[in-house]
Amino acid sequence: MKQNPSISIITVTYNCAATLERTLHSIETQTFTHFEHLIIDGASTDATVALAQAYRQRNPHLDITLQSEPDHGLYDAMNKGIRLAKGDFIVFLNAGDKLHSDDVLARVAACDAAKTGIVYGETDIVDGEGRFLRHRRLSAPERLTSRSFLRGMLVCHQSFYANRRVVQSYDLQYKYSADVDWCIRAMKACEAEGLGMVNLHAVLTDYLSEGMTTQHQRASLLERFHVMRHHYGLCATLCAHLYIIGRSVVKK
């Protein structure tokens, strides 16, 4: 019987041929190879699918799945990936993002999936050419809890590896901040099941700065407030936002 992969990497793509190759290269050069890579494409009309097919052909030893069909947006595509995933841990790495070093998956896989609900780390920000811009402004906390995101999204989604036992579908009522809601729900599930959340104290991901949330920042912030109010209550959310505003002013 074929053993299930230890890690499921889900990459959602749509007309992203210009940035996809570096994402694929960062995966195929990993020292740890007991993973599956699910590429969920939204029926791209550029060279995206051809690049993904070539990547699969040159790596016959890797478990790579390519699915290309119309979808109802980013989070719908991510839900498709979740439904296909078989790994102990699930992570989303989209076109333009890449694993920071060749041993990232090995570090994650070293964590005991029977006891660990979430594995997380730091993130660097890169430009459209993949060049380093800066370390992410928000640092991963030493101890992560379901209330940590009251201080902002302290862990980047692409550096957040969730045990399949605590993973739920993305809530499609959210257009820009379903990832925040998804992470909070995963952390709450960890606490309910008594699973640990492990900080690897390392940069795990190079994140492309021009994502969907960056392009729709005002709408994203309003939606994120709604997400936080849902999970933490209005009073706690208002107090948290006053703290965040104050922190921004002090750092200027």
Side-chain angles (χ1 to χ4, degrees), residues 13-14 40-44 49 67-72 76-77 80 83:
T13 61
Y14 181 69
I40 311 299
D41 181 72
S44 291
V49 173
Q67 175 180 295
S68 184
E69 62 184 21
D71 55 50
H72 298 291
D76 176 53
K80 290 182 180 183
R83 289 192 290 269

Side-chain angles (χ1 to χ4, degrees), residues 147 150 225 228-243:
R147 296 186 67 81
L150 268 171
F225 183 91
M228 292 175 65
R229 183 177 63 183
H230 170 74
H231 285 287
Y232 305 128
L234 179 60
C235 183
T237 300
L238 286 172
C239 291
H241 276 72
L242 288 173
Y243 165 79

Side-chain angles (χ1 to χ4, degrees), residues 186-206:
M187 291 185 285
K188 285 183 173 181
C190 282
E191 292 167 348
E193 294 196 26
L195 296 173
M197 297 186 237
V198 176
N199 187 344
L200 291 182
H201 300 100
V203 176
L204 303 185
T205 314
D206 293 344

Side-chain angles (χ1 to χ4, degrees), residues 75-123:
Y75 296 121
D76 176 53
M78 292 163 100
N79 280 341
K80 290 182 180 183
I82 289 173
R83 289 192 290 269
L84 292 172
K86 302 183 296 291
D88 295 320
F89 293 101
I90 294 175
V91 68
F92 290 88
L93 191 73
N94 293 332
D97 305 329
K98 65 175 186 173
L99 300 174
H100 181 74
S101 59
D102 292 347
D103 64 345
V104 167
L105 296 186
R107 289 170 178 250
V108 174
C111 298
D112 185 350
K115 299 178 181 178
T116 307
I118 291 166
V119 181
Y120 64 100
E122 304 292 351
T123 304

